[in-house]
Amino acid sequence: MSSYLIQVRPAQVQDVEQMYQLMLPFMLDKTLITRDQDDIFEHLQEFIIAFKGDALVGVTALHVYDSNLAEVRSLVVSPKAQRMSIGHKLVKACEDMGKQLGVTRIFALTYIDKFFIEQGYTIVAKESLPQKVWTVCIHCPKFSHCDEIAMVKNI
Ligand SMILES: CC(C)(COP(=O)(O)OP(=O)(O)OC[C@H]1O[C@@H](n2cnc3c(N)ncnc32)[C@H](O)[C@@H]1OP(=O)(O)O)[C@@H](O)C(=O)NCCC(=O)NCCS
């Protein structure tokens, strides 16, 4: 995994199986909210992926809520390719997508605040996010004792 260029691009239908396999361990350990392959297909336009050589090593998605709010979600980098700036590249690609769509503010719910702080995100109270953000979280086993940190950036 050493000297290949990183390519970041929108996901395509033929990528879904590999995306799912990359996300699966993180869904099983509850780092990510569970999404099945049908759900990924239905939201495919939201997904951005990263390749190192011909290996799919990163996935994320940008979900738009309204004119001034979108969420970076389903962010994962293969354990073999972490700490190589691929996560930063994926977040930047989400921000670029958000700008193209006219969104002015992006948030993430995370356990790794350092990763987002170094990209210009600031911690906000979860309660400051609109109610509709929590529609997905209701299905999360940790919903009643959520310990994720809400991070926001104006783009
Ligand atoms: C979080 C994650 C996406 C970061 O991707 P990445 O490609 O490794 O990150 P980058 O290489 O772009 O950035 C690395 C920097 O981010 C921060 N960082 C990344 N992972 C971190 C962690 N687990 N704990 C603390 N800081 C971390 C550090 O500042 C790190 O810099 P360093 O290597 O000099 O210490 C990746 O670790 C991952 O997939 N984790 C498991 C899934 C997960 O937690 N997803 C939810 C994220 S909201």
Side-chain angles (χ1 to χ4, degrees):
M1 281 255 179
S2 52
S3 62
Y4 292 107
L5 281 181
I6 306 300
Q7 187 205 357
V8 175
R9 65 159 171 81
Q12 299 178 331
V13 287
Q14 67 270 18
D15 303 314
V16 169
E17 171 67 30
Q18 280 188 85
M19 291 161 63
Y20 180 73
Q21 292 305 330
L22 179 56
M23 294 162 73
L24 186 58
F26 298 95
M27 297 191 291
L28 291 174
D29 76 7
K30 307 206 185 331
T31 306
L32 297 184
I33 285 182
T34 300
R35 312 184 71 160
D36 59 21
Q37 293 199 36
D38 284 345
D39 184 45
I40 298 172
F41 276 118
E42 285 168 21
H43 295 90
L44 194 62
Q45 294 99 322
E46 298 183 355
F47 279 91
I48 295 165
I49 55 178
F51 282 86
K52 188 165 170 45
D54 58 5
L56 191 149
V57 290
V59 171
T60 193
L62 184 76
H63 181 76
V64 176
Y65 284 96
D66 59 37
S67 63
N68 66 3
L69 194 64
E71 178 182 11
V72 175
R73 55 166 64 162
S74 301
L75 173 63
V76 60
V77 173
S78 163
K80 282 185 267 179
Q82 289 179 7
R83 307 307 246 272
M84 297 178 183
S85 300
I86 296 168
H88 277 69
K89 287 184 168 66
L90 287 167
V91 171
K92 172 73 168 56
C94 282
E95 293 171 1
D96 290 346
M97 185 196 271
K99 282 181 198 161
Q100 278 175 11
L101 294 169
V103 174
T104 55
R105 206 161 61 114
I106 290 192
F107 78 94
L109 293 169
T110 186
Y111 299 105
I112 311 176
D113 51 347
K114 179 171 184 270
F115 171 76
F116 284 97
I117 286 168
E118 61 200 17
Q119 296 176 82
Y121 288 74
T122 52
I123 297 174
V124 295
K126 276 183 283 200
E127 298 71 29
S128 69
L129 297 172
Q131 194 124 33
K132 59 188 161 187
V133 166
W134 309 112
T135 51
V136 178
C137 301
I138 289 164
H139 305 292
C140 175
K142 292 186 181 172
F143 181 58
S144 62
H145 49 283
C146 173
D147 50 358
E148 288 191 309
I149 304 161
M151 316 272 321
V152 171
K153 179 179 180 179
N154 292 322
I155 57 169

